[in-house]
Amino acid sequence: MLFFSFFKSLVGKEVIVELKNDLSVCGILHSVDQYLNIKLVDISVPDTEKYPHMISVKNCFIRGSVVRYVHLPAEEIDVQLLQDATRKEVAQLKSQQTAQVAAPSK
Amino acid sequence: VSVITQDGRVIVGTLKGFDQTVNLILNDSHERVYSSGAGVEQVALGLYVIRGDNIAVIGEIDEDVDSSIDLAEVKAEPINAVVY
């Protein structure tokens, strides 16, 4: 859920999505869902158009499972906020785990 | 729409429907085969159901731009398959 919220905060920013089939797609992040599927608007393919298949495509939907990387400009990221959020998430998961361990033993 | 499947195929058709797991129903579909040799080959497929597991990218085609491309001129390497 953390990265879902993280991506929601990046809607409207320009990102480059690198896929597991080596295709890279540059575009503006339009929306994201719980599976981290990504919808990009105003596509361009940076790889010197080695992939002309996308010439007539302006908007696209990318399935979350095929994403290798999402390249983000450094200016967009608040590292402190991300670190704090991650620490909270870990603490939350740990307390969930100890609660689970305690309950079955009863 | 243009669908790129996980095995590297490009299928173009009219999106009739979809569901939660991104299974798709495509009307009047044809596969565009790109190669570095000859231009682009189109294979007619008709009505297709594509299972969501197998889909990588779904692109919305701008009809105006698409009709202006001369597919016989386009040469490119085929797309790689998705590797997990």
Side-chain angles (χ1 to χ4, degrees):
Chain A
M1 285 308 287
L2 188 156
F3 278 102
F4 177 33
S5 309
F6 171 66
F7 280 123
K8 279 197 285 188
S9 74
L10 290 175
V11 168
K13 303 285 187 342
E14 190 175 31
V15 297
I16 303 178
V17 182
E18 184 181 323
L19 305 178
K20 288 178 180 161
N21 62 2
D22 296 338
L23 174 63
S24 281
V25 186
C26 178
I28 299 167
L29 187 61
H30 178 273
S31 55
V32 67
D33 67 11
Q34 49 161 328
Y35 303 110
L36 302 189
N37 294 331
I38 290 174
K39 183 163 172 220
L40 292 181
V41 178
D42 224 7
I43 306 299
S44 60
V45 183
D47 278 343
T48 56
E49 314 288 338
K50 183 175 150 196
Y51 298 101
H53 326 75
M54 306 290 282
I55 285 184
S56 38
V57 178
K58 286 277 156 10
N59 315 320
C60 75
F61 166 91
I62 301 174
R63 205 179 131 96
S65 64
V66 299
V67 175
R68 183 186 293 140
Y69 300 122
V70 179
H71 301 274
L72 314 155
E75 317 82 61
E76 290 173 6
I77 315 305
D78 182 347
V79 185
Q80 286 304 318
L81 197 61
L82 198 56
Q83 284 179 351
D84 292 340
T86 320
R87 268 179 228 124
K88 278 188 210 154
E89 182 88 1
V90 173
Q92 208 184 47
L93 288 171
K94 266 195 186 153
S95 63
Q96 267 179 17
Q97 274 180 359
T98 47
Q100 279 175 355
V101 169
S105 62
K106 276 188 181 164
Chain B
V1 292
S2 168
V3 179
I4 305 180
T5 57
Q6 297 202 1
D7 57 357
R9 285 193 263 198
V10 182
I11 300 181
V12 178
T14 315
L15 189 62
K16 294 294 278 182
F18 61 94
D19 67 2
Q20 177 80 352
T21 53
V22 202
N23 297 325
L24 300 182
I25 302 177
L26 237 49
N27 213 352
D28 288 332
S29 45
H30 41 269
E31 182 183 343
R32 285 191 184 162
V33 184
Y34 295 83
S35 65
S36 38
V40 178
E41 183 200 330
Q42 302 218 90
V43 183
L45 301 166
L47 184 61
Y48 244 39
V49 170
I50 308 179
R51 197 176 150 86
D53 292 347
N54 200 260
I55 290 171
V57 178
I58 305 170
E60 182 187 348
I61 292 188
D62 183 344
E63 295 285 330
D64 302 325
V65 181
D66 196 52
S67 42
S68 68
I69 316 171
D70 181 6
L71 287 177
E73 281 302 305
V74 178
K75 294 190 174 83
E77 293 295 307
I79 304 180
N80 296 334
V82 172
V83 178
Y84 284 99

